[in-house]
Amino acid sequence: MRKIIDGRDDESRVDVWMKRLAAVPLEMPARPNPALLWWRAQAARRRDEEQRTTLPIRITETIQVGLATIGGLSLAAFAGSTRPVAAMLSAALLVGAAAIAAWANLARTPSNF
Amino acid sequence: MDERAFLDAYEQTIAPLRAYVIRALGGVTHADDIVQETYLRLLRLPSPPRDPAKLRPYLFRIASNLMIDHWRRHKHESQAGQEPEPVSAGQNVALAIDMERLFQQLRPRDRQLLWLAHVEGASHREIAAALGIAMTSIKVLLFRARQRLTALLEQSGRGSGEST
C-alpha cells in the first residue's frame, strides 16, 4: 500500500517537473525548411523508383557479364591447344567486352543522395 | 501526400517533435539531422498516414528509432562523459540548465519514456509503438524511470517539489 502511494506521489511530482522542463523555452537554430525537405524527399522517391524499375535490367546485365567471362575463359581452355592464337584473341575480346560492360554498369548506378 | 498536406502536417508537428528530439538527445547538434531524416522517411513511405491523429505518433516513432540508432552509433562518445550542450533560453537560464543537466543524467530510454508520457501525454499503447517495446512492459519501465528521476531530484535538493 505504501509503495502504491509512493508511486502515485512520484508520478505527480515527476509530472509537474516534466511539464516545467517542457515549458522552458529552447534556444534553437532556424528550423529545417519544409520546402527543401519536400524537394529532397521527391528526389529520393524518384531515385528509389528508378532503382526499382532498373533492377531487372541490372540483374540481367550482371548475368550476361558473368556468362561472357565464363564463355571467354572456357574458349581459351578448350580451344587453346588446337588454335592458340585465335582462341586467346577471342577469349581476350570476350573478357574485355565483359569488363567494359561491368564498368559501364557500375558507372551508371545512381549514387546515394 | 501532396506538398500542401505535407506543409500543413509539418507546421502542426515540427515544434513538439523538435522539442522531444532535442530534450531526449540533450542538444541541437544532431537533433535537426534526426528531425529532417524523420520527415524524409515519412515522405518516402508509399502511403504516408494523412490523418493527423495517426501522423503524429508515426513521426514520434520514426524519430525514436533514429535516436536509438544514433545512441548506438555514438555509444563510445557518451561513455567518454560528454557534457550535454545547454539548449535552454529565457529569463531563468541557470535554473533551466540545471534542469537539463538533471534530465540528461537519466538513461536515454528513460528520457524518451518520460517525455512521451508526461509532456506528449501519450498512452501506454502509443509509447510502446513509438519505442518498440511491449505494451505490458511500459508501466514497469515508466515506474522505474519516475523513480530514477525522483531520486535525482532528491539528490539535487528538489525532492520536495520546489524548483526555484
Side-chain angles (χ1 to χ4, degrees):
Chain A
M1 189 67 181
R2 173 84 193 150
K3 201 174 174 180
I4 293 169
I5 293 167
D6 284 350
R8 283 184 187 154
D9 193 31
D10 281 355
E11 189 173 337
S12 59
R13 197 188 306 171
V14 165
D15 195 57
V16 169
W17 193 87
M18 285 301 298
K19 285 189 168 57
R20 207 168 277 164
L21 177 69
V24 173
L26 289 164
E27 194 168 346
M28 294 190 281
R31 64 185 198 176
N33 181 346
L36 186 64
L37 280 176
W38 173 261
W39 180 83
R40 281 182 63 192
Q42 296 316 302
R45 287 187 79 166
R46 274 197 296 274
R47 194 181 59 246
D48 291 348
E49 188 65 28
E50 188 189 320
Q51 284 189 334
R52 204 167 29 251
T53 49
T54 57
L55 185 66
I57 299 169
R58 281 185 282 123
I59 290 172
T60 312
E61 283 177 351
T62 308
I63 292 168
Q64 285 172 347
V65 167
L67 287 175
T69 308
I70 293 166
L73 294 175
S74 305
L75 184 68
F78 288 110
S81 55
T82 51
R83 293 183 180 183
V85 178
M88 289 308 285
L89 191 64
S90 305
L93 279 172
L94 267 173
V95 174
I100 290 167
W103 173 79
N105 198 14
L106 281 175
R108 199 187 53 197
T109 306
S111 60
N112 283 332
F113 187 67
Chain B
M1 183 182 268
D2 61 23
E3 189 171 2
R4 187 71 256 158
F6 168 67
L7 293 177
D8 287 345
Y10 182 86
E11 291 302 329
Q12 285 168 17
T13 53
I14 182 68
L17 185 72
R18 227 175 158 204
Y20 167 57
V21 176
I22 289 172
R23 286 298 184 204
L25 279 183
V28 292
T29 308
H30 301 288
D32 274 347
D33 291 341
I34 287 178
V35 169
Q36 287 189 42
E37 187 58 30
T38 301
Y39 285 106
L40 286 175
R41 290 203 182 180
L42 175 85
L43 287 169
R44 285 173 79 172
L45 289 172
S47 52
R50 285 165 170 266
D51 179 7
K54 285 183 184 165
L55 184 73
R56 194 167 160 141
Y58 215 95
L59 283 169
F60 277 77
R61 182 180 190 168
I62 300 172
S64 300
N65 288 335
L66 287 171
M67 280 193 277
I68 292 165
D69 291 346
H70 169 84
W71 284 317
R72 280 189 192 134
R73 279 199 307 272
H74 296 87
K75 208 173 180 180
H76 59 284
E77 287 174 22
S78 58
Q79 281 170 348
Q82 278 195 331
E83 278 284 304
E85 44 182 314
V87 288
S88 294
Q91 291 179 330
N92 205 341
V93 177
L95 171 69
I97 291 172
D98 195 29
M99 289 175 85
E100 265 173 35
R101 289 218 171 111
L102 205 137
F103 193 56
Q104 291 305 315
Q105 286 176 39
L106 291 167
R107 295 172 191 172
R109 173 134 295 174
D110 286 352
R111 297 200 294 265
Q112 288 181 312
L113 277 163
L114 291 171
W115 191 273
L116 290 172
H118 292 278
V119 179
E120 282 301 313
S123 65
H124 287 187
R125 185 185 295 274
E126 286 166 339
I127 297 171
L131 301 182
I133 303 171
M135 208 177 87
T136 47
S137 312
I138 295 293
K139 198 173 178 179
V140 177
L141 290 172
L142 254 176
F143 178 76
R144 288 182 190 153
R146 283 188 198 115
Q147 274 190 325
R148 282 190 275 268
L149 180 57
T150 308
L152 285 171
L153 289 169
E154 277 168 6
Q155 275 173 27
S156 70
R158 297 186 192 282
S160 56
E162 92 291 358
S163 71
T164 50

